[in-house]
Amino acid sequence: MMSMYTKNINTHLIEIKDYFKVAISVDCVVFGFAEDKLKVLLIKSDLNEYKGKWSLLGDIVPPDEELDAAAYRVLHNRTGLDNVYLEQVQTFGAIERHPAGRVITVAYYALVDLEQIKGKTTNADLYWLSVDELGDMAFDHQQILNACVLRLQQQMMAQPVGFNLLPLKFSLRELQSLYESVFGRELDRRNFRKKFLSMDLLEDLNEEEADVRHRPARLYKFNFIKYDQQRKRNLGITF
Amino acid sequence: MMSMYTKNINTHLIEIKDYFKVAISVDCVVFGFAEDKLKVLLIKSDLNEYKGKWSLLGDIVPPDEELDAAAYRVLHNRTGLDNVYLEQVQTFGAIERHPAGRVITVAYYALVDLEQIKGKTTNADLYWLSVDELGDMAFDHQQILNACVLRLQQQMMAQPVGFNLLPLKFSLRELQSLYESVFGRELDRRNFRKKFLSMDLLEDLNEEEADVRHRPARLYKFNFIKYDQQRKRNLGITF
DNA sequence: TCAAAAGTGTTCAGGTTACACCCATGT
DNA sequence: ACATGGGTGTAACCTGAACACTTTTGA
């Protein structure tokens, strides 16, 4: 029973035959934050099977391109942005997930500052939709999106990645609103402010919001350098 | 510039040509726990490039097999075990990572109870090595292993997955030793016991260790059912 | 002057840490 | 009897949660 497995790709030189070959793609869940909602960048599929349904941004990975590079390429071509926060999440490979054949897709999520995108998005087929308000999606993209939202939540609890969704200058209200929309929970304003200010990682810019019809909020920026220096690891078993 | 990307695999019917095809494999980081150390199951590679270096258990995924199924297959064929805890971690696709050509590999980690394996491992080429004591590994397997250790740490902090590495009946000392070896830290015995006993998820079996030359420890089992019922979600931003 | 959101402290409960001595068993 | 690890409690500290009023601005 085990003999057929004593030789394999990790231990012996075997030829990669055609019947081993499948296609690889990357799919990007591009998150943004606007109007106090977590948004995701989608396009309408024209495939017969999924006509008009929302689809993630993705593309085939040719054999001479790195996975991360493929994701960056998709993202750059669609949004015009460089230096985007991008992270691999999970690989989806159900046999029948794509009508064109066996296409295994590596899912990434990206965090972009929507203010930097305005005007750059030349592609009119792209839409920013609220994550909690979208209907049927093409392929297994709903599943992919769910996995990315979950991962985003985990990351935002453990690391300061959320700031990639905000402008460089932001108010504490915007920050709180971001956390509330990602976690789907209201948070206490005083406790939230206390928490973030006590980290001593928000730099008070001594600037204020403009054009609001109420008392303007102070603007802050996140001090990534300081964060990198003082990051601590504390074991907290919580399950 | 964007025209070449308006048609792609998510939006239009395109043919998957040969020059898009690459090979997919799965690699399993099989963790075990013995002699107070976290162990990993490895095999020696016979590939010329990596002669004698340690390699993970992996195999090519044929187009008609699910990814998870491929990982289970590798694991079952190597260890004889079913019902193994298995989780996808990350996909590694560096262009030159495999000498046979472009092989993109989906990494999984598995948690097994070493006591259940004794006698089942018919394949003599397999070795259990301590995670912190192994030298050069083949391919990018060191990188894959590191990613899996990191993920294991994250999981063990947030969820009771570690019990999959222990026998059904275990002592608190074994449990603590497991956590210490996974996190590479000594923990206070009294606090550790208090913590786990206060969760009220360990069932006292009213049994004791045997064959120890000191006071025998009580044996417990983890109550997974109770855990599933009372699991709570609490937001704790800690970075 | 009104509407709307900004800004601000204290108290309480629960969890985490640090820490030292007696107990049960086998040899 | 001794060596080895099992088993136990308390006090200080810190963190997270609950909670209401005053301030600033534009309309």
Side-chain angles (χ1 to χ4, degrees):
Chain A
M1 139 205 160
M2 214 163 281
S3 58
M4 61 183 293
Y5 295 100
T6 50
K7 295 203 173 189
N8 80 5
I9 195 161
N10 285 348
T11 55
H12 294 77
L13 186 58
I14 66 170
E15 201 183 339
I16 296 175
K17 301 219 164 62
D18 277 347
Y19 51 79
F20 281 148
K21 292 187 175 180
V22 299
I24 292 282
S25 67
V26 290
D27 278 300
C28 296
V29 174
V30 186
F31 287 117
F33 181 65
E35 296 139 24
D36 294 334
K37 302 254 184 165
L38 184 66
K39 306 275 182 176
V40 60
L41 188 59
L42 299 173
I43 190 170
K44 278 199 174 139
S45 181
D46 274 336
L47 278 180
N48 274 338
E49 287 86 345
Y50 297 116
K51 200 78 150 187
K53 297 203 171 176
W54 295 111
S55 161
L56 298 171
L57 307 187
D59 202 5
I60 286 280
V61 180
D64 59 351
E65 186 178 40
E66 299 285 348
L67 291 174
D68 290 1
Y72 272 113
R73 170 172 57 80
V74 167
L75 216 65
H76 178 76
N77 289 330
R78 293 295 191 177
T79 66
L81 284 180
D82 284 314
N83 297 321
V84 168
Y85 182 89
L86 190 69
E87 185 174 309
Q88 196 197 107
V89 175
Q90 202 183 323
T91 296
F92 295 82
I95 296 170
E96 301 291 346
R97 63 173 294 281
H98 200 291
R102 185 77 189 271
V103 181
I104 290 171
T105 196
V106 183
Y108 285 78
Y109 81 74
L111 305 179
V112 304
D113 170 10
L114 273 181
E115 290 198 3
Q116 285 184 43
I117 284 199
K118 282 172 189 166
K120 287 198 177 178
T121 311
T122 54
N123 192 319
D125 297 333
L126 298 179
Y127 298 86
W128 287 100
L129 274 83
S130 289
V131 167
D132 54 1
E133 287 178 0
L134 42 90
D136 273 358
M137 295 186 74
F139 312 98
D140 50 0
H141 286 190
Q142 182 68 55
Q143 196 188 347
I144 296 177
L145 175 61
N146 292 345
C148 288
V149 170
L150 214 64
R151 181 69 66 91
L152 175 62
Q153 290 175 340
Q154 290 168 359
Q155 286 291 304
M156 274 185 59
M157 276 195 277
Q159 278 164 10
V161 298
F163 299 98
N164 293 293
L165 289 164
L166 294 177
L168 277 179
K169 303 175 179 185
F170 54 85
S171 67
L172 282 169
R173 175 64 203 155
E174 286 174 289
L175 185 62
Q176 180 176 345
S177 167
L178 170 63
Y179 273 83
E180 288 179 333
S181 70
V182 169
F183 291 103
R185 277 205 211 178
E186 297 208 337
L187 301 170
D188 181 272
R189 196 162 90 254
R190 276 173 294 186
N191 291 337
F192 185 87
R193 300 167 70 89
K194 213 188 319 168
K195 173 86 181 172
F196 274 82
L197 290 174
S198 71
M199 287 178 193
D200 204 27
L201 291 171
L202 295 183
E203 216 165 287
D204 188 339
L205 295 169
N206 290 314
E207 293 180 56
E208 292 181 339
E209 287 178 307
D211 301 322
V212 287
R213 64 180 179 289
H214 56 76
R215 176 172 175 179
R218 291 188 156 188
L219 295 181
Y220 296 85
K221 76 183 182 83
F222 185 78
N223 193 332
F224 284 96
I225 296 163
K226 199 167 187 178
Y227 169 73
D228 285 335
Q229 290 163 355
Q230 72 177 41
R231 93 167 84 177
K232 60 188 175 215
R233 298 267 152 259
N234 55 339
L235 185 63
I237 302 162
T238 40
F239 54 77
Chain B
M1 137 202 158
M2 214 163 283
S3 58
M4 59 183 295
Y5 295 102
T6 49
K7 293 205 176 190
N8 82 3
I9 195 162
N10 284 348
T11 56
H12 293 78
L13 185 60
I14 66 168
E15 202 183 341
I16 296 174
K17 301 216 166 62
D18 276 347
Y19 52 80
F20 282 148
K21 291 187 176 181
V22 299
I24 292 283
S25 68
V26 289
D27 277 300
C28 296
V29 175
V30 186
F31 288 117
F33 181 65
E35 297 140 22
D36 294 335
K37 301 253 185 167
L38 184 65
K39 306 274 182 175
V40 61
L41 186 60
L42 298 175
I43 191 170
K44 278 198 174 140
S45 181
D46 274 336
L47 277 180
N48 274 337
E49 287 87 346
Y50 298 115
K51 201 78 151 183
K53 298 205 170 175
W54 296 111
S55 162
L56 298 171
L57 307 187
D59 201 6
I60 286 278
V61 180
D64 58 351
E65 187 179 40
E66 299 285 346
L67 291 174
D68 291 0
Y72 271 113
R73 169 173 57 80
V74 167
L75 215 63
H76 177 75
N77 288 330
R78 293 295 190 179
T79 66
L81 285 179
D82 284 313
N83 297 323
V84 168
Y85 182 89
L86 191 70
E87 185 174 310
Q88 196 198 107
V89 174
Q90 202 184 322
T91 296
F92 294 82
I95 295 171
E96 301 291 348
R97 63 172 295 282
H98 201 291
R102 184 76 189 272
V103 180
I104 290 171
T105 196
V106 183
Y108 285 79
Y109 81 75
L111 304 179
V112 305
D113 170 11
L114 273 181
E115 291 197 3
Q116 285 185 44
I117 284 199
K118 282 172 190 165
K120 286 199 177 180
T121 311
T122 54
N123 193 318
D125 298 334
L126 298 180
Y127 298 87
W128 286 100
L129 274 84
S130 289
V131 167
D132 54 2
E133 288 178 359
L134 42 90
D136 272 357
M137 295 186 72
F139 311 99
D140 50 1
H141 286 188
Q142 182 68 57
Q143 196 188 346
I144 295 177
L145 176 61
N146 292 346
C148 288
V149 170
L150 213 64
R151 181 69 67 90
L152 175 62
Q153 290 176 341
Q154 290 168 359
Q155 286 292 302
M156 275 186 58
M157 276 196 275
Q159 277 163 13
V161 298
F163 299 97
N164 293 293
L165 289 165
L166 295 177
L168 277 179
K169 302 175 179 187
F170 54 85
S171 67
L172 280 169
R173 173 65 201 151
E174 288 174 290
L175 185 61
Q176 180 176 345
S177 166
L178 170 64
Y179 273 83
E180 288 179 335
S181 70
V182 169
F183 292 103
R185 277 205 210 179
E186 298 208 338
L187 302 170
D188 181 90
R189 196 162 91 252
R190 276 174 293 189
N191 292 337
F192 184 87
R193 301 168 70 89
K194 212 187 322 166
K195 171 88 182 172
F196 274 82
L197 291 175
S198 71
M199 288 177 192
D200 204 27
L201 291 171
L202 295 183
E203 217 166 285
D204 188 339
L205 295 170
N206 291 313
E207 292 180 57
E208 293 181 337
E209 285 179 309
D211 303 321
V212 287
R213 64 178 179 292
H214 55 76
R215 174 173 176 179
R218 292 188 155 186
L219 296 180
Y220 296 85
K221 75 183 183 80
F222 185 78
N223 193 332
F224 284 96
I225 297 163
K226 199 167 185 177
Y227 169 72
D228 285 336
Q229 290 164 356
Q230 71 178 40
R231 97 166 80 176
K232 60 190 175 212
R233 298 267 153 261
N234 56 341
L235 185 63
I237 302 162
T238 39
F239 53 78

